[in-house]
C-alpha cells in the first residue's frame, strides 16, 4: 500500500512539474515581421547551414523546441525546466517563446533529447553550433563535450565517445552572457537599450546540427583566387590524415570540369582557370568546387563548395588619389549600413525568406554594397550575397567600450587607443581571428573593419597590420569613423546627415577616401514602431516625399564628391532598428518607405561618374 501511494505521489509530482512548464507561443508584446507566422516550430530554419563546405547526405538539423531554465549563475543544474524555447532564437526574442532577460547573475540552461540516425553509426559524430552568445559549455549524456567563448563564430565538438547505445541521447547546454557588464565582443547589445543600443541576445542564435564524418575527414578548405595569374589556390585542413593521403580538387563551370589537380593532403592545389569569368555585382558568377580526400585509389571523404574569381585592390587615379578597385577597375561602392536585427528574432531572421527579402530589396534600390555593422551573420547570408552580387564590408563586433572619443579633423597621427586588459584584448583577438577564418571563402566580402568610431579601439596599428597579414586579399578599414591613424587601406569619415569626404590633399595619396556613414533620415510610421516614444533619426521627416527630396540632394552632392576622390559611401540604414527610425524599410519589414525604383534612379547616377586611373 505504501509503495502504491509513493508511486501515485511520484506520478502526480511529475504531472505537477509538467503542468508548470509553459508551452511555446510567440511573444506578442511588440511588432513582428510577416514571416513570424510562417516559422515551423518543428523545423525552424531547416536549410543546410554551411554552404561553403557541404556534406548534405549525412546530417541532421536539431533546431526546434528544447527545454529551458534560467537559474542563478552558481547553480549547476535546473531543479525543473520552465518550459519550451524555440532554438535557434535567443531567449530575449519573441520567436524564442520566452522573451526574458538573463543578465550576468544568471545562466541559461537548455536540455534536449535527440536520436542519432542509424546512417551515422560507425562514424565520427560532430555536434555543430552556428553561434551561441556568449560563454558556452555543452554536455552529452551528462558528460562535458567542451567549452567555447565567443558570440559570433561557429564551433563544434566531437561527441562520438559520449554517445550511449540507447536510442535517445541527451544534450544540455549552459550559457552565460554578461552583455555590457563584460569585456567580450557584443556588438550593439546593452542591458538597458536606448538610442543606437539594442536588446541583449543570450544563448543559441544560429542553427544546431549533427554531422557524421569518417575517421579521416576534410575539416575545412581555403580558397584564394588570383585573377591576374588566372588561378585559384585551394588548400584543405584534414583531420587525422595519414601518410600518403591526397586531395583531389576539381573546379567546375555549369557542371563541366574546367580544372583539376591532385596534391598531398597537406599541400595547396593551384588550378589554372582559363577563360575566367570574373565575379561582380552585375555578373556574380560562381564556380563549383569538389574536394575529395583519397587514400590510394579509395575515396575517403568529399565536400562540395564554390569560389569566385574576383579581386579587390587599390590604385591611384589620374590625379594621384587612391581608388578602391574591383577586378582592377574603379567601381564606386555604395550601400547601406545594415544592422541585421529583427523585431521578432533579434539577431536571427525568422526564416530564410525574411533574410533574402532584405538583400533583394537593397538590390532593387540599386545598391551594390552592404556594410554589415557590428554583427556577423549566419553563413547562408554571405552565400546569398555571393550568389546575388552584393559587395560586403564586414565589421568586427565591438566590446569593452571604455575609451573616450577623441577625433582630430584633418589629423591622422593623434589617435588615442584604449588600454584594454589582457583578458579583454584576448577576447577580441580570439574572436576576430575566428570570424575572419570562418568567413574567408565568401567572395562577397571585400573589406574588413576591425574598429568602429573608437568603440574599444586599441593597438590600432598592431591590429590593422595583423588583419592585413592574416588576409592580404582584402582591404582593411582600420577605424571606420574612429580615431584616424596612418594604418590600413582607407580613411573613413562619418558625417551626418549630409555627404562629406576626407580631405584628398591630406589623405588621398596613400589611402582610399570613404564616407563610412551618412544620412540617417528618419520617418516614424505609426503601427510599425518598436516603441511609441523616443524614436529618432539624425533628421526626421513627416512624409516619404519630403524625405526623398532631401535624399536626392544627397545623391547630387555625392556625384560631385566622386570625381574629387571619394571611392565609397555608406548610408544609414537598411531598416529601422528598435528606437531608430532612419531605415529605408520599417523594422517589421511591412513598409518600404520610398519606392525602390525612385531610389535606384538616384543611385545609378553614382555609378555613371567616370574616373580615370593613372
Amino acid at each position: 500500500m505504501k509503495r502504491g501511494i509513493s508511486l501515485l505521489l511520484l506520478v502526480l509530482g511529475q504531472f505537477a512539474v509538467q503542468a508548470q512548464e509553459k508551452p511555446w507561443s510567440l511573444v506578442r508584446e511588440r511588432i513582428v515581421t510577416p514571416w513570424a507566422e510562417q516559422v515551423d516550430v518543428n523545423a525552424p530554419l531547416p536549410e543546410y547551414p554551411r554552404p561553403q563546405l557541404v556534406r548534405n547526405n549525412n546530417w541532421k538539423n536539431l533546431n526546434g523546441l528544447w527545454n529551458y531554465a534560467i537559474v542563478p549563475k552558481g547553480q549547476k543544474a535546473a531543479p525543473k525546466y520552465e518550459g519550451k524555447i524555440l532554438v535557434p532564437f535567443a531567449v530575449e526574442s519573441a520567436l524564442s517563446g520566452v522573451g526574458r532577460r538573463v543578465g550576468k547573475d544568471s545562466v541559461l540552461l537548455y536540455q534536449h533529447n535527440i536520436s542519432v540516425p542509424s546512417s551515422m553509426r560507425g562514424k565520427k559524430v560532430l555536434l555543430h553550433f552556428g553561434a551561441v552568445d556568449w560563454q558556452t559549455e555543452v554536455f552529452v549524456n551528462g558528460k562535458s563535450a567542451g567549452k567555447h567563448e565567443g558570440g559570433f563564430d561557429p564551433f563544434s565538438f566531437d561527441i562520438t565517445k559520449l554517445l550511449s547505445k540507447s536510442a535517445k541521447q541527451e544534450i544540455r547546454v549552459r550559457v552565460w552572457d554578461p552583455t555590457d557588464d563584460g569585456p567580450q565582443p557584443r556588438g550593439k547589445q546593452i542591458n538597458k537599450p536606448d538610442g543606437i543600443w539594442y536588446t541583449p541576445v543570450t544563448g543559441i542564435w544560429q542553427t544546431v546540427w549533427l554531422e557524421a564524418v569518417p575517421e579521416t575527414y576534410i575539416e575545412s578548405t581555403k580558397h584564394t583566387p588570383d585573377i591576374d595569374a588566372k588561378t585559384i589556390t585551394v588548400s584543405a585542413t584534414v583531420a587525422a590524415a595519414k601518410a600518403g593521403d591526397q586531395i583531389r580538387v576539381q573546379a567546375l563551370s555549369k557542371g563541366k570540369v574546367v580544372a583539376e589537380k591532385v596534391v598531398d593532403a597537406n599541400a595547396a592545389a593551384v588550378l589554372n582557370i582559363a577563360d575566367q569569368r570574373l565575379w561582380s555585382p552585375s555578373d556574380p558568377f560562381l564556380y563549383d568546387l569538389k574536394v575529395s580526400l583519397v587514400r590510394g585509389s579509395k575515396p575517403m571523404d568529399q565536400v562540395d563548395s564554390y569560389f569566385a574569381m574576383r579581386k579587390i585592390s587599390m590604385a591611384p587615379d589620374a590625379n594621384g588619389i587612391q581608388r578602391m578597385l574591383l577586378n582592377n577597375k574603379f567601381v564606386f561602392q555604395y550601400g547601406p549600413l545594415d544592422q541585421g536585427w529583427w523585431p521578432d528574432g533579434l539577431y536571427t531572421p525568422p526564416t530564410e525568406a525574411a533574410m533574402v527579402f532584405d538583400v533583394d530589396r537593397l538590390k532593387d534600390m540599386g545598391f551594390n554594397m552592404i556594410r554589415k555593422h557590428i554583427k556577423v551573420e549566419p553563413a547562408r547570408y554571405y552565400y546569398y550575397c555571393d550568389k546575388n552580387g552584393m559587395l560586403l564590408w564586414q565589421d568586427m563586433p565591438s566590446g569593452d567600450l571604455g575609451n573616450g572619443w577623441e577625433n582630430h579633423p584633418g589629423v591622422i597621427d593623434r589617435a588615442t587607443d584604449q588600454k584594454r586588459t589582457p583578458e579583454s584584448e584576448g577576447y577580441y583577438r580570439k574572436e576576430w581571428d575566428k570570424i575572419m577564418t570562418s568567413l574567408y571563402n565568401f567572395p562577397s566580402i571585400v573589406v574588413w573593419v576591425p574598429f568602429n568610431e573608437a568603440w574599444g579601439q586599441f593597438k590600432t596599428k598592431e591590429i590593422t597590420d595583423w588583419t592585413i597579414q592574416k588576409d592580404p586579399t582584402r582591404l582593411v578599414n582600420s577605424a571606420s569613423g574612429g580615431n584616424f591613424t596612418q594604418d590600413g587601406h582607407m580613411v573613413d569619415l562619418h558625417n551626418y546627415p549630409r555627404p562629406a569626404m576626407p580631405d584628398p590633399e591630406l589623405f588621398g595619396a596613400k589611402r582610399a577616401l570613404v564616407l563610412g556613414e551618412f544620412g540617417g533620415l528618419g520617418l516614424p510610421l505609426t503601427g510599425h514602431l518598436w516603441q511609441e516614444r523616443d524614436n529618432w533619426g539624425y533628421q526626421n521627416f513627416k512624409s516619404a516625399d519630403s524625405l526623398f527630396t532631401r535624399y536626392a540632394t544627397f545623391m547630387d552632392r555625392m556625384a560631385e564628391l566622386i570625381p574629387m576622390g571619394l571611392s565609397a559611401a555608406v548610408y544609414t540604414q537598411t531598416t529601422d532598428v528598435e528606437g531608430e527610425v532612419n531605415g529605408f524599410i520599417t523594422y517589421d519589414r511591412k513598409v518600404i518607405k520610398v519606392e525602390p525604383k525612385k531610389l535606384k534612379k538616384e543611385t545609378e547616377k553614382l555609378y555613371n561618374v567616370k574616373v580615370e586611373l593613372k
Side-chain angles (χ1 to χ4, degrees), residues 465-529:
D465 290 348
W466 165 51
T467 303
I468 294 172
Q469 183 179 18
K470 182 173 176 65
D471 184 5
T473 71
R474 292 179 169 94
L475 300 182
V476 176
N477 183 1
S478 62
S480 180
N483 290 321
F484 297 143
T485 67
Q486 300 186 61
D487 306 297
H489 296 108
M490 56 192 74
V491 173
D492 180 328
L493 175 69
H494 291 184
N495 193 79
Y496 287 101
R498 195 167 185 263
M501 65 182 288
D503 189 332
E505 293 186 7
L506 285 174
F507 307 122
K510 293 184 178 180
R511 286 172 182 81
L513 309 176
V514 303
L515 175 59
E517 292 181 28
F518 82 102
L521 303 181
L523 178 61
L525 294 179
T526 302
H528 304 279
L529 300 174

Side-chain angles (χ1 to χ4, degrees), residues 381-443:
Y381 179 90
Y382 300 96
Y383 173 48
Y384 192 73
C385 290
D386 290 346
K387 290 194 301 179
N388 288 274
M390 187 64 83
L391 301 167
L392 292 175
W393 294 16
Q394 179 60 57
D395 287 11
M396 168 62 181
S398 55
D400 203 356
L401 277 57
N403 55 327
W405 180 264
E406 189 173 338
N407 192 14
H408 302 278
V411 179
I412 57 175
D413 60 354
R414 292 180 58 195
T416 300
D417 280 345
Q418 180 180 346
K419 294 181 179 179
R420 295 171 77 155
T421 66
E423 178 189 40
S424 172
E425 183 175 332
Y427 288 144
Y428 176 98
R429 289 179 181 273
K430 180 172 64 174
E431 189 118 7
W432 189 221
D433 181 68
K434 289 181 177 179
I435 288 169
M436 288 189 287
T437 297
S438 66
L439 299 182
Y440 181 88
N441 287 342
F442 293 105

Side-chain angles (χ1 to χ4, degrees), residues 132-297:
V132 184
D133 197 353
W134 171 72
Q135 186 183 82
T136 308
E137 184 169 11
V138 178
F139 301 85
V140 177
N141 295 323
K143 296 181 180 180
S144 178
K147 298 179 180 179
H148 178 266
E149 288 180 333
F152 302 93
D153 59 297
F155 61 97
S156 63
F157 300 117
D158 179 357
I159 64 170
T160 312
K161 294 180 180 179
L162 301 179
L163 298 175
S164 68
K165 294 181 180 180
S166 65
K168 297 294 183 183
Q169 316 290 332
E170 184 195 46
I171 296 176
R172 289 189 289 115
V173 180
R174 180 183 179 88
V175 181
W176 177 66
D177 180 17
T179 310
D180 56 319
D181 286 321
Q184 81 289 348
R186 57 174 172 83
K188 286 203 165 186
Q189 304 173 56
I190 193 168
N191 286 312
K192 296 180 179 179
D194 181 61
I196 64 170
W197 308 103
Y198 315 140
T199 302
V201 172
T202 302
I204 299 169
W205 67 274
Q206 288 189 31
T207 293
V208 186
W209 55 295
L210 286 181
E211 180 183 33
V213 297
E215 188 65 29
T216 301
Y217 67 98
I218 299 167
E219 196 170 6
S220 64
T221 62
K222 184 177 183 180
H223 320 151
T224 306
D226 185 337
I227 70 167
D228 299 320
K230 298 183 179 181
T231 62
I232 179 74
T233 300
V234 180
S235 59
T237 300
V238 178
K242 294 185 178 181
D245 285 353
Q246 292 184 310
I247 291 291
R248 177 186 292 115
V249 181
Q250 294 178 311
L252 301 92
S253 173
K254 297 183 177 180
K256 180 182 178 181
V257 175
V258 296
E260 181 174 351
K261 186 155 287 189
V262 178
V263 297
D264 291 339
N266 60 354
V270 181
L271 282 69
N272 294 312
I273 308 297
D275 301 320
Q276 63 181 343
R277 185 170 168 182
L278 301 183
W279 182 97
S280 70
S282 59
D283 184 21
F285 183 78
L286 299 175
Y287 290 85
D288 292 320
L289 193 66
K290 290 186 181 295
V291 183
S292 304
L293 174 64
V294 180
R295 182 172 294 160
S297 59

Side-chain angles (χ1 to χ4, degrees), residues 310-467:
R310 74 99 182 90
K311 175 185 178 182
I312 186 74
S313 60
M314 292 197 322
D317 65 15
N319 296 319
I321 297 173
Q322 291 293 329
R323 295 288 187 164
M324 296 174 65
L325 308 183
L326 178 65
N327 300 331
N328 297 322
K329 297 179 180 179
F330 175 69
V331 175
F332 186 74
Q333 297 186 29
Y334 180 49
L337 196 73
D338 193 287
Q339 316 276 2
W341 283 72
W342 302 84
D344 36 28
L346 299 181
Y347 264 4
T348 312
T351 65
E352 176 123 335
M355 178 196 78
V356 165
F357 173 86
D358 276 9
V359 180
D360 285 350
R361 295 298 78 74
L362 294 176
K363 289 285 284 187
D364 292 343
M365 295 172 186
F367 299 116
N368 64 4
M369 177 263 278
I370 294 170
R371 180 182 169 200
K372 183 49 62 177
H373 191 43
I374 317 295
K375 185 204 174 190
V376 177
E377 293 289 356
R380 294 194 65 86
Y381 179 90
Y382 300 96
Y383 173 48
Y384 192 73
C385 290
D386 290 346
K387 290 194 301 179
N388 288 274
M390 187 64 83
L391 301 167
L392 292 175
W393 294 16
Q394 179 60 57
D395 287 11
M396 168 62 181
S398 55
D400 203 356
L401 277 57
N403 55 327
W405 180 264
E406 189 173 338
N407 192 14
H408 302 278
V411 179
I412 57 175
D413 60 354
R414 292 180 58 195
T416 300
D417 280 345
Q418 180 180 346
K419 294 181 179 179
R420 295 171 77 155
T421 66
E423 178 189 40
S424 172
E425 183 175 332
Y427 288 144
Y428 176 98
R429 289 179 181 273
K430 180 172 64 174
E431 189 118 7
W432 189 221
D433 181 68
K434 289 181 177 179
I435 288 169
M436 288 189 287
T437 297
S438 66
L439 299 182
Y440 181 88
N441 287 342
F442 293 105
S444 53
I445 299 174
V446 294
V447 174
W448 297 121
V449 187
F451 299 113
N452 176 74
E453 292 190 352
W455 297 350
Q457 187 175 338
F458 74 102
K459 294 185 178 178
T460 308
K461 177 176 174 51
E462 185 178 332
I463 296 298
T464 302
D465 290 348
W466 165 51
T467 303

